[in-house]
Amino acid sequence: MFPELQLDTVHTMLDTNLFSKMFNNTTQSYKFYWFEAILNLITTKEDDLTYNEIVDEMICEVWHTVTHYHLRLGPIVNGNAENFLEHAVKVLNENATDLSQNPSKEEIKAAIDLYDHKLKKDKMNLVNYVPYKLLYPFFDVAGMEEGLEYIRRDKRSHLISYMSRLSGKENVLYTILDGEGLQKKVRMHPDWRTFILKNYAVIQSWVQYHKAQFLQDRNPGVPGIIYKINPEEDYIRKLDQVRDLWKTVVGVTGQPIKEIYTGQEISLDTLSIDHFVPRSYISNDELWNLIPMRKTLNSSKSNRLPSWDDFFGPFVKYQYYLYDLIFPRNEESKSEAIIHKFEKCRRNNLNAIWAAESLYITGNTEEQFTNILSHNLKPIYEAAQLQGYDTWRMDKV
């Protein structure tokens, strides 16, 4: 249901019920990204929008969702993701090898310009249907039957000609101006433009809500979809308490922290916290998935999975080392400083019920702790593999 909006008198003729039906019968993600691209562009541009600049904006908008979070944007057909937007992003990513790990929109657009010839086919496929299909509800009204029939039968040139004869009183969201290929243009209805800009935040949230629902259905079992439809903000991460906990361990025990991947000691000024299963997949900062690591090696590991066979053993051994300091087997070994830091972590870094109720409790032997963590972490690890996450190779470092 479209949210209730406070409309001024200029918009009393606009039918927001038609607007709310734009994403009905969606089988691909194109409608969400096409409309979202228009939303982004009209905030800074009053001119007509070419198909080409809308598609470029779509590629920028979906970049992190595909490259960083490995989400599928549409249904799987014969084992392949048959989605032109997803394919365009992957083609660009394969060619633009000098892009930074977290590129800005300006960097992505520069890469699009450089490799536009390689993206042309996907771009043309993208604009074959979505600019017209999105308008379906606005033509599904009395008096607009001719235009509706052109949309149903994919007679795009006829529809463009028909729209050129509209008076504007029909209140269609936008009309399409004819042109060569990707140079066709979208002309927003002035009242709809004003309506969207006045209610921009609500409309943007509404689009993202429906987009998240769609992507969750196409990526069953993937956690935290709502966090993966936009680049993640650093402030969302909650690793400071975990870093403080490990620093306190060093201070209390007098023993250095060692890296499970190399065995090297980690100095406190280079201490970073690594997600064994990448955060981009798991979407949380749970203590049971975190391990100390040097900043430089963490950057090398990046968004990849360590080999389970090679590294789960050292990982769980170090996890139990920390556990044994938090829940010592005798009172004499108890450190109030470590326990105090752990209690701070409990608020932000221990939300999984299984971990709170069976892993981080008094009395687990190392074997019990290992079995509980393996039983719960391995299915997540394997799901990330199925989602397309690469294995990190230490011999390539």
Short mmCIF file of all heavy atoms in Angstrom, two decimals, residues 352-395:
data_model
loop_
_atom_site.label_atom_id
_atom_site.label_comp_id
_atom_site.label_asym_id
_atom_site.label_seq_id
_atom_site.Cartn_x
_atom_site.Cartn_y
_atom_site.Cartn_z
N ALA A 352 22.81 -13.38 18.51
CA ALA A 352 22.28 -14.69 18.09
C ALA A 352 21.88 -15.49 19.32
O ALA A 352 22.67 -15.65 20.25
CB ALA A 352 23.32 -15.44 17.27
N ILE A 353 20.66 -16.00 19.32
CA ILE A 353 20.14 -16.73 20.49
C ILE A 353 20.99 -17.95 20.79
O ILE A 353 21.33 -18.23 21.95
CB ILE A 353 18.67 -17.12 20.26
CG1 ILE A 353 17.79 -15.85 20.21
CG2 ILE A 353 18.18 -18.05 21.36
CD1 ILE A 353 16.35 -16.10 19.85
N TRP A 354 21.37 -18.70 19.74
CA TRP A 354 22.16 -19.93 19.98
C TRP A 354 23.49 -19.60 20.65
O TRP A 354 23.96 -20.37 21.50
CB TRP A 354 22.39 -20.67 18.66
CG TRP A 354 23.25 -19.95 17.66
CD1 TRP A 354 22.82 -19.15 16.64
CD2 TRP A 354 24.68 -19.95 17.60
NE1 TRP A 354 23.90 -18.64 15.94
CE2 TRP A 354 25.06 -19.13 16.51
CE3 TRP A 354 25.69 -20.56 18.34
CZ2 TRP A 354 26.38 -18.90 16.15
CZ3 TRP A 354 27.02 -20.34 17.99
CH2 TRP A 354 27.35 -19.52 16.91
N ALA A 355 24.09 -18.46 20.28
CA ALA A 355 25.39 -18.09 20.87
C ALA A 355 25.23 -17.66 22.31
O ALA A 355 26.04 -18.04 23.19
CB ALA A 355 26.04 -16.99 20.05
N ALA A 356 24.20 -16.89 22.59
CA ALA A 356 23.98 -16.39 23.94
C ALA A 356 23.56 -17.49 24.89
O ALA A 356 23.89 -17.46 26.09
CB ALA A 356 22.93 -15.28 23.91
N GLU A 357 22.83 -18.49 24.37
CA GLU A 357 22.26 -19.51 25.25
C GLU A 357 23.06 -20.80 25.32
O GLU A 357 22.87 -21.59 26.25
CB GLU A 357 20.83 -19.83 24.80
CG GLU A 357 19.87 -18.65 25.00
CD GLU A 357 18.44 -19.01 24.68
OE1 GLU A 357 18.20 -20.15 24.18
OE2 GLU A 357 17.55 -18.17 24.92
N SER A 358 23.97 -21.04 24.36
CA SER A 358 24.70 -22.31 24.40
C SER A 358 26.21 -22.17 24.20
O SER A 358 26.96 -23.05 24.62
CB SER A 358 24.14 -23.28 23.34
OG SER A 358 24.32 -22.75 22.03
N LEU A 359 26.66 -21.07 23.57
CA LEU A 359 28.11 -20.94 23.32
C LEU A 359 28.80 -20.14 24.41
O LEU A 359 29.74 -20.61 25.04
CB LEU A 359 28.34 -20.28 21.95
CG LEU A 359 29.78 -20.29 21.44
CD1 LEU A 359 30.24 -21.72 21.15
CD2 LEU A 359 29.93 -19.42 20.18
N TYR A 360 28.32 -18.93 24.65
CA TYR A 360 28.94 -18.06 25.65
C TYR A 360 28.24 -18.22 27.00
O TYR A 360 27.60 -17.31 27.52
CB TYR A 360 28.93 -16.61 25.18
CG TYR A 360 29.88 -16.38 24.03
CD1 TYR A 360 29.40 -16.38 22.72
CD2 TYR A 360 31.24 -16.19 24.24
CE1 TYR A 360 30.27 -16.19 21.65
CE2 TYR A 360 32.10 -16.00 23.17
CZ TYR A 360 31.62 -16.00 21.88
OH TYR A 360 32.48 -15.83 20.83
N ILE A 361 28.37 -19.43 27.54
CA ILE A 361 27.85 -19.75 28.87
C ILE A 361 28.93 -20.50 29.64
O ILE A 361 29.86 -21.06 29.05
CB ILE A 361 26.57 -20.61 28.80
CG1 ILE A 361 26.86 -21.95 28.09
CG2 ILE A 361 25.44 -19.86 28.11
CD1 ILE A 361 25.72 -22.94 28.16
N THR A 362 28.81 -20.52 30.93
CA THR A 362 29.80 -21.20 31.77
C THR A 362 29.77 -22.71 31.53
O THR A 362 28.70 -23.31 31.37
CB THR A 362 29.52 -20.92 33.25
OG1 THR A 362 29.52 -19.51 33.46
CG2 THR A 362 30.57 -21.56 34.15
N GLY A 363 30.97 -23.33 31.50
CA GLY A 363 31.03 -24.79 31.56
C GLY A 363 31.32 -25.51 30.27
O GLY A 363 31.46 -26.74 30.28
N ASN A 364 31.45 -24.83 29.13
CA ASN A 364 31.75 -25.53 27.89
C ASN A 364 33.20 -26.03 27.87
O ASN A 364 34.13 -25.26 28.15
CB ASN A 364 31.54 -24.61 26.69
CG ASN A 364 30.09 -24.54 26.26
OD1 ASN A 364 29.34 -25.52 26.37
ND2 ASN A 364 29.67 -23.38 25.77
N THR A 365 33.38 -27.31 27.54
CA THR A 365 34.73 -27.79 27.27
C THR A 365 35.14 -27.31 25.88
O THR A 365 34.30 -26.82 25.10
CB THR A 365 34.78 -29.32 27.30
OG1 THR A 365 33.97 -29.83 26.21
CG2 THR A 365 34.25 -29.88 28.62
N GLU A 366 36.41 -27.46 25.55
CA GLU A 366 36.86 -27.04 24.22
C GLU A 366 36.15 -27.84 23.12
O GLU A 366 35.79 -27.29 22.08
CB GLU A 366 38.37 -27.20 24.09
CG GLU A 366 38.92 -26.65 22.78
CD GLU A 366 40.44 -26.57 22.75
OE1 GLU A 366 41.08 -26.89 23.77
OE2 GLU A 366 40.98 -26.17 21.70
N GLU A 367 35.92 -29.12 23.38
CA GLU A 367 35.22 -29.95 22.39
C GLU A 367 33.78 -29.48 22.22
O GLU A 367 33.28 -29.36 21.08
CB GLU A 367 35.25 -31.42 22.81
CG GLU A 367 34.57 -32.35 21.80
CD GLU A 367 34.60 -33.80 22.24
OE1 GLU A 367 35.02 -34.08 23.39
OE2 GLU A 367 34.18 -34.66 21.43
N GLN A 368 33.09 -29.21 23.32
CA GLN A 368 31.71 -28.72 23.24
C GLN A 368 31.65 -27.37 22.51
O GLN A 368 30.80 -27.15 21.64
CB GLN A 368 31.12 -28.59 24.64
CG GLN A 368 30.84 -29.91 25.33
CD GLN A 368 30.46 -29.73 26.79
OE1 GLN A 368 30.99 -28.84 27.49
NE2 GLN A 368 29.55 -30.57 27.28
N PHE A 369 32.54 -26.49 22.87
CA PHE A 369 32.59 -25.17 22.24
C PHE A 369 32.82 -25.30 20.74
O PHE A 369 32.13 -24.66 19.93
CB PHE A 369 33.71 -24.34 22.88
CG PHE A 369 33.76 -22.91 22.42
CD1 PHE A 369 33.09 -21.92 23.11
CD2 PHE A 369 34.50 -22.55 21.29
CE1 PHE A 369 33.15 -20.59 22.70
CE2 PHE A 369 34.55 -21.23 20.86
CZ PHE A 369 33.88 -20.25 21.57
N THR A 370 33.76 -26.15 20.35
CA THR A 370 34.07 -26.37 18.93
C THR A 370 32.87 -26.91 18.18
O THR A 370 32.54 -26.45 17.08
CB THR A 370 35.26 -27.33 18.78
OG1 THR A 370 36.41 -26.75 19.42
CG2 THR A 370 35.57 -27.60 17.32
N ASN A 371 32.20 -27.90 18.76
CA ASN A 371 31.06 -28.51 18.09
C ASN A 371 29.90 -27.52 17.92
O ASN A 371 29.25 -27.49 16.86
CB ASN A 371 30.58 -29.73 18.88
CG ASN A 371 31.55 -30.90 18.79
OD1 ASN A 371 32.37 -30.96 17.87
ND2 ASN A 371 31.48 -31.80 19.74
N ILE A 372 29.64 -26.71 18.94
CA ILE A 372 28.55 -25.73 18.86
C ILE A 372 28.84 -24.69 17.79
O ILE A 372 27.99 -24.36 16.96
CB ILE A 372 28.33 -25.05 20.22
CG1 ILE A 372 27.81 -26.06 21.26
CG2 ILE A 372 27.34 -23.88 20.10
CD1 ILE A 372 27.88 -25.55 22.69
N LEU A 373 30.08 -24.17 17.79
CA LEU A 373 30.43 -23.13 16.82
C LEU A 373 30.44 -23.68 15.40
O LEU A 373 29.92 -23.06 14.47
CB LEU A 373 31.79 -22.53 17.17
CG LEU A 373 32.24 -21.34 16.32
CD1 LEU A 373 31.19 -20.23 16.30
CD2 LEU A 373 33.57 -20.78 16.82
N SER A 374 30.99 -24.87 15.22
CA SER A 374 31.03 -25.48 13.89
C SER A 374 29.62 -25.75 13.37
O SER A 374 29.31 -25.48 12.20
CB SER A 374 31.82 -26.79 13.94
OG SER A 374 31.79 -27.43 12.68
N HIS A 375 28.78 -26.27 14.24
CA HIS A 375 27.39 -26.60 13.85
C HIS A 375 26.64 -25.37 13.36
O HIS A 375 25.82 -25.47 12.43
CB HIS A 375 26.67 -27.21 15.05
CG HIS A 375 25.22 -27.48 14.82
ND1 HIS A 375 24.76 -28.55 14.07
CD2 HIS A 375 24.11 -26.80 15.22
CE1 HIS A 375 23.44 -28.52 14.01
NE2 HIS A 375 23.01 -27.47 14.70
N ASN A 376 26.91 -24.22 13.94
CA ASN A 376 26.17 -23.01 13.58
C ASN A 376 26.85 -22.16 12.52
O ASN A 376 26.18 -21.48 11.74
CB ASN A 376 25.93 -22.16 14.84
CG ASN A 376 24.90 -22.76 15.76
OD1 ASN A 376 23.70 -22.63 15.54
ND2 ASN A 376 25.36 -23.47 16.79
N LEU A 377 28.18 -22.18 12.48
CA LEU A 377 28.91 -21.33 11.54
C LEU A 377 29.07 -21.98 10.17
O LEU A 377 29.02 -21.28 9.14
CB LEU A 377 30.28 -20.97 12.11
CG LEU A 377 31.12 -19.98 11.30
CD1 LEU A 377 30.39 -18.65 11.11
CD2 LEU A 377 32.48 -19.74 11.96
N LYS A 378 29.23 -23.29 10.12
CA LYS A 378 29.50 -23.93 8.82
C LYS A 378 28.35 -23.75 7.82
O LYS A 378 28.60 -23.49 6.64
CB LYS A 378 29.83 -25.41 9.00
CG LYS A 378 30.39 -26.00 7.69
CD LYS A 378 31.04 -27.35 7.89
CE LYS A 378 31.74 -27.77 6.60
NZ LYS A 378 32.36 -29.12 6.73
N PRO A 379 27.07 -23.88 8.23
CA PRO A 379 26.00 -23.63 7.25
C PRO A 379 26.02 -22.21 6.69
O PRO A 379 25.71 -22.00 5.51
CB PRO A 379 24.72 -23.89 8.06
CG PRO A 379 25.14 -24.79 9.16
CD PRO A 379 26.53 -24.37 9.51
N ILE A 380 26.41 -21.23 7.51
CA ILE A 380 26.52 -19.85 7.05
C ILE A 380 27.66 -19.74 6.04
O ILE A 380 27.53 -19.10 4.99
CB ILE A 380 26.75 -18.90 8.24
CG1 ILE A 380 25.57 -18.97 9.21
CG2 ILE A 380 26.96 -17.46 7.76
CD1 ILE A 380 25.79 -18.23 10.52
N TYR A 381 28.78 -20.38 6.36
CA TYR A 381 29.95 -20.39 5.47
C TYR A 381 29.58 -21.00 4.12
O TYR A 381 29.89 -20.46 3.06
CB TYR A 381 31.07 -21.18 6.15
CG TYR A 381 32.35 -21.31 5.36
CD1 TYR A 381 33.42 -20.45 5.60
CD2 TYR A 381 32.49 -22.29 4.39
CE1 TYR A 381 34.61 -20.57 4.88
CE2 TYR A 381 33.67 -22.41 3.66
CZ TYR A 381 34.73 -21.55 3.92
OH TYR A 381 35.89 -21.67 3.19
N GLU A 382 28.91 -22.14 4.16
CA GLU A 382 28.55 -22.83 2.91
C GLU A 382 27.53 -22.04 2.10
O GLU A 382 27.56 -22.03 0.87
CB GLU A 382 28.02 -24.23 3.24
CG GLU A 382 29.11 -25.15 3.76
CD GLU A 382 28.58 -26.49 4.25
OE1 GLU A 382 27.34 -26.57 4.53
OE2 GLU A 382 29.37 -27.44 4.37
N ALA A 383 26.62 -21.35 2.78
CA ALA A 383 25.65 -20.51 2.08
C ALA A 383 26.35 -19.35 1.38
O ALA A 383 25.98 -18.96 0.27
CB ALA A 383 24.60 -19.98 3.06
N ALA A 384 27.37 -18.79 2.02
CA ALA A 384 28.15 -17.71 1.39
C ALA A 384 28.88 -18.24 0.15
O ALA A 384 28.96 -17.54 -0.87
CB ALA A 384 29.15 -17.12 2.39
N GLN A 385 29.39 -19.46 0.22
CA GLN A 385 30.02 -20.07 -0.95
C GLN A 385 29.03 -20.19 -2.11
O GLN A 385 29.34 -19.85 -3.26
CB GLN A 385 30.54 -21.47 -0.61
CG GLN A 385 31.86 -21.48 0.14
CD GLN A 385 32.38 -22.89 0.35
OE1 GLN A 385 31.63 -23.79 0.77
NE2 GLN A 385 33.64 -23.12 0.07
N LEU A 386 27.82 -20.65 -1.80
CA LEU A 386 26.79 -20.80 -2.83
C LEU A 386 26.39 -19.46 -3.42
O LEU A 386 25.99 -19.38 -4.59
CB LEU A 386 25.57 -21.50 -2.25
CG LEU A 386 25.72 -22.99 -1.91
CD1 LEU A 386 24.49 -23.50 -1.18
CD2 LEU A 386 25.96 -23.80 -3.18
N GLN A 387 26.50 -18.41 -2.64
CA GLN A 387 26.14 -17.08 -3.10
C GLN A 387 27.21 -16.48 -4.01
O GLN A 387 26.99 -15.44 -4.63
CB GLN A 387 25.90 -16.16 -1.89
CG GLN A 387 25.14 -14.88 -2.20
CD GLN A 387 23.71 -15.14 -2.65
OE1 GLN A 387 23.15 -16.19 -2.33
NE2 GLN A 387 23.13 -14.20 -3.39
N GLY A 388 28.36 -17.15 -4.11
CA GLY A 388 29.39 -16.69 -5.05
C GLY A 388 30.62 -16.07 -4.42
O GLY A 388 31.45 -15.49 -5.12
N TYR A 389 30.76 -16.17 -3.10
CA TYR A 389 31.94 -15.61 -2.44
C TYR A 389 33.18 -16.47 -2.75
O TYR A 389 33.15 -17.69 -2.60
CB TYR A 389 31.73 -15.52 -0.93
CG TYR A 389 30.89 -14.32 -0.53
CD1 TYR A 389 29.52 -14.32 -0.71
CD2 TYR A 389 31.49 -13.19 -0.01
CE1 TYR A 389 28.75 -13.21 -0.37
CE2 TYR A 389 30.73 -12.07 0.35
CZ TYR A 389 29.37 -12.10 0.16
OH TYR A 389 28.61 -11.00 0.49
N ASP A 390 34.25 -15.83 -3.16
CA ASP A 390 35.49 -16.52 -3.50
C ASP A 390 36.23 -16.96 -2.25
O ASP A 390 36.07 -16.39 -1.17
CB ASP A 390 36.41 -15.60 -4.31
CG ASP A 390 35.82 -15.27 -5.68
OD1 ASP A 390 35.07 -16.10 -6.21
OD2 ASP A 390 36.13 -14.18 -6.20
N THR A 391 37.08 -17.97 -2.43
CA THR A 391 37.94 -18.44 -1.34
C THR A 391 39.24 -17.66 -1.37
O THR A 391 39.84 -17.47 -2.42
CB THR A 391 38.23 -19.95 -1.48
OG1 THR A 391 36.99 -20.67 -1.46
CG2 THR A 391 39.11 -20.45 -0.35
N TRP A 392 39.64 -17.20 -0.21
CA TRP A 392 40.89 -16.45 -0.07
C TRP A 392 42.06 -17.41 -0.08
O TRP A 392 42.10 -18.37 0.68
CB TRP A 392 40.83 -15.66 1.23
CG TRP A 392 42.02 -14.81 1.52
CD1 TRP A 392 42.63 -13.93 0.69
CD2 TRP A 392 42.73 -14.77 2.76
NE1 TRP A 392 43.67 -13.32 1.33
CE2 TRP A 392 43.76 -13.81 2.60
CE3 TRP A 392 42.60 -15.42 3.98
CZ2 TRP A 392 44.66 -13.51 3.62
CZ3 TRP A 392 43.49 -15.12 5.00
CH2 TRP A 392 44.51 -14.17 4.81
N ARG A 393 43.03 -17.14 -0.96
CA ARG A 393 44.19 -17.99 -1.07
C ARG A 393 45.39 -17.31 -0.43
O ARG A 393 45.88 -16.28 -0.90
CB ARG A 393 44.49 -18.28 -2.54
CG ARG A 393 43.38 -19.06 -3.26
CD ARG A 393 43.41 -20.53 -2.87
NE ARG A 393 44.69 -21.12 -3.18
CZ ARG A 393 45.03 -21.57 -4.40
NH1 ARG A 393 44.16 -21.47 -5.40
NH2 ARG A 393 46.21 -22.10 -4.60
N MET A 394 45.90 -17.88 0.66
CA MET A 394 47.05 -17.30 1.34
C MET A 394 48.28 -17.27 0.45
O MET A 394 49.13 -16.39 0.56
CB MET A 394 47.35 -18.10 2.61
CG MET A 394 46.51 -17.70 3.80
SD MET A 394 46.91 -16.07 4.41
CE MET A 394 48.59 -16.31 4.96
N ASP A 395 48.42 -18.25 -0.48
CA ASP A 395 49.62 -18.27 -1.32
C ASP A 395 49.63 -17.15 -2.35
O ASP A 395 50.63 -16.92 -3.03
CB ASP A 395 49.75 -19.62 -2.03
CG ASP A 395 48.53 -19.96 -2.89
OD1 ASP A 395 47.60 -19.15 -2.95
OD2 ASP A 395 48.52 -21.04 -3.50
#
